[in-house]
Amino acid sequence: MNIIDIALAEFAEMKAMEADAASDYAEEAEREFLKAARSCADRTLAPAAADLDWQYVPADALPEQVEEARAVLVPGRPEYLRYRVEHSDDTGVISLDLVEPGQADRISPVTSLSRLGQLLTPAPNTAHGPGEEQAEQQGPLAGVEEVLQRAARVAALARQLLAEHPDAGLVADTVSVFGHQSGNSSAELHLSAEGMEALRQIAAAIEAEVNVWASNGHGTVLEHGTATSTVDGIAVHVRAYEPMPAGRAAVWLAQQDQPAAEASDGGEN
């Protein structure tokens, strides 16, 4: 062998060793992540979580900087638990959620075994009529507990939208959560997106229509848009604006002047 053959063989061996090391590291990282998922489930749902079979989700099936493991609750049923870590700036946001594919992929935070039972309880077929009392007696902190649960759902939804649409420039402008002793609650999440295309992207994700209008601000024509939908009982409002392209802006400005011009022509005649 000459020196070229030797160098090529040495380089090929080095690359093979690097690939083996990377594979070993990835397998170890996957084992550690599954261990963390089991630990989180045990702390939250023990002892019911002991038999859950956690499976690691490949990175190419997830948004960037997100790791996830899943465990089916009962074989043959669609519901599953999702342990997710969203990495950002060397920190990780951890969540344990119930995902219900049969409910348009409804995602709900799981904070305890009783909360999981509540999420899995079928909704009653009949609603209470006027003046009827609820069968379940509410505790003295029912309003507080409902606010905490609702706030967790709002936070999970916001994190989900940001993770699934990292280029939309989403920002949570305002968040409001209301709870009552009766157990009723409501929540609103107001988001702003970076431009009209990002707004349309988010609107499609939450199945909302986009309302568009324009305004003239000191010589610059701005295009505004809003989209509103209800997701998992949360009222989601998304807004965005951006300068209108010059050609369209000129047409819009001409249209705004048209009524005044027509009125002027009518007066002269």
Side-chain angles (χ1 to χ4, degrees):
M1 295 178 64
N2 57 41
I3 189 171
I4 294 178
D5 294 333
I6 295 173
L8 290 174
E10 181 70 16
F11 178 74
E13 184 178 354
M14 182 192 71
K15 296 300 291 183
M17 292 176 62
E18 289 178 352
D20 290 342
S23 178
D24 292 342
Y25 176 80
E27 291 178 0
E28 179 62 23
E30 180 177 326
R31 284 193 294 268
E32 289 298 318
F33 191 82
L34 291 174
K35 180 179 178 181
R38 286 190 289 269
S39 178
C40 179
D42 288 343
R43 290 194 305 270
T44 308
L45 305 172
D51 295 330
L52 291 175
D53 182 19
W54 288 94
Q55 300 294 322
Y56 190 78
V57 179
D60 57 5
L62 298 170
E64 292 184 5
Q65 295 186 320
V66 172
E67 279 190 283
E68 185 176 306
R70 299 175 182 178
V72 174
L73 296 181
V74 177
R77 297 236 350 200
E79 304 96 340
Y80 63 87
L81 288 176
R82 182 187 77 176
Y83 174 80
R84 173 175 280 200
V85 178
E86 298 176 21
H87 301 282
S88 177
D89 299 329
D90 298 327
T91 61
V93 179
I94 300 173
S95 60
L96 181 65
D97 307 304
L98 173 69
V99 181
E100 300 173 87
Q103 300 290 333
D105 283 353
R106 186 173 71 176
I107 300 171
S108 307
V110 176
T111 55
S112 66
L113 189 59
S114 60
R115 172 60 175 163
L116 178 61
Q118 179 186 16
L119 293 170
L120 293 170
T121 299
N125 293 327
T126 57
H128 294 284
E132 292 184 16
E133 295 184 358
Q134 294 185 4
E136 181 182 353
Q137 296 296 320
Q138 303 295 338
L141 295 178
V144 175
E145 293 170 353
E146 183 64 26
V147 164
L148 292 175
Q149 293 177 2
R150 179 76 68 164
R153 290 162 63 185
V154 172
L157 175 60
R159 288 196 297 266
Q160 177 186 352
L161 289 173
L162 263 69
E164 293 178 350
H165 307 279
D167 299 327
L170 283 178
V171 175
D173 291 330
T174 59
V175 180
S176 62
V177 180
F178 171 82
H180 192 270
Q181 193 275 338
S182 65
N184 295 325
S185 68
S186 62
E188 290 193 5
L189 174 62
H190 293 256
L191 301 166
S192 61
E194 198 172 77
M196 298 299 293
E197 183 58 34
L199 171 63
R200 293 185 178 92
Q201 180 186 130
I202 302 302
I206 63 175
E207 299 182 356
E209 293 185 1
V210 177
N211 298 312
V212 179
W213 71 96
S215 67
N216 184 7
H218 305 290
T220 300
V221 179
L222 297 177
E223 189 174 28
H224 305 260
T226 59
T228 300
S229 182
T230 300
V231 181
D232 194 18
I234 301 164
V236 181
H237 307 270
V238 190
R239 65 180 181 90
Y241 70 91
E242 64 182 20
M244 187 179 290
R248 288 173 52 203
V251 173
W252 184 85
L253 288 170
Q255 291 173 343
Q256 308 315 301
D257 292 338
Q258 190 64 35
E262 291 176 352
S264 177
D265 293 341
E268 291 178 1
N269 294 330

Short mmCIF file of all heavy atoms in Angstrom, two decimals, residues 7 12 49 60 67 117 133 233:
data_model
loop_
_atom_site.label_atom_id
_atom_site.label_comp_id
_atom_site.label_asym_id
_atom_site.label_seq_id
_atom_site.Cartn_x
_atom_site.Cartn_y
_atom_site.Cartn_z
N ALA A 7 -3.54 6.48 4.06
CA ALA A 7 -4.27 7.64 4.60
C ALA A 7 -5.77 7.45 4.45
O ALA A 7 -6.56 7.76 5.37
CB ALA A 7 -3.82 8.92 3.89
N ALA A 12 -11.09 6.30 6.85
CA ALA A 12 -12.31 5.49 6.86
C ALA A 12 -12.50 4.83 8.23
O ALA A 12 -13.62 4.76 8.75
CB ALA A 12 -12.24 4.43 5.76
N ALA A 49 -48.86 3.84 36.99
CA ALA A 49 -47.98 3.99 35.82
C ALA A 49 -46.95 2.89 35.69
O ALA A 49 -46.15 2.90 34.74
CB ALA A 49 -47.29 5.35 35.88
N ASP A 60 -37.02 13.12 13.79
CA ASP A 60 -37.55 13.63 12.53
C ASP A 60 -39.07 13.71 12.51
O ASP A 60 -39.66 14.27 11.57
CB ASP A 60 -37.06 12.79 11.35
CG ASP A 60 -37.42 11.32 11.49
OD1 ASP A 60 -38.12 10.95 12.45
OD2 ASP A 60 -36.97 10.51 10.65
N GLU A 67 -38.03 16.83 22.44
CA GLU A 67 -37.89 15.38 22.65
C GLU A 67 -39.19 14.86 23.23
O GLU A 67 -39.84 15.53 24.03
CB GLU A 67 -36.73 15.08 23.61
CG GLU A 67 -35.36 15.09 22.98
CD GLU A 67 -34.31 14.56 23.93
OE1 GLU A 67 -33.90 15.31 24.83
OE2 GLU A 67 -33.89 13.40 23.76
N GLY A 117 -58.24 10.65 35.45
CA GLY A 117 -59.58 10.06 35.47
C GLY A 117 -60.64 11.05 35.03
O GLY A 117 -61.58 10.69 34.30
N GLU A 133 -79.75 21.71 40.21
CA GLU A 133 -78.48 21.69 40.92
C GLU A 133 -77.58 20.62 40.33
O GLU A 133 -78.04 19.56 39.91
CB GLU A 133 -78.70 21.42 42.40
CG GLU A 133 -79.47 22.52 43.11
CD GLU A 133 -79.59 22.24 44.59
OE1 GLU A 133 -79.09 21.16 45.02
OE2 GLU A 133 -80.16 23.06 45.31
N GLY A 233 -61.63 24.25 24.58
CA GLY A 233 -62.32 25.12 25.51
C GLY A 233 -61.65 26.46 25.75
O GLY A 233 -62.10 27.24 26.59
#
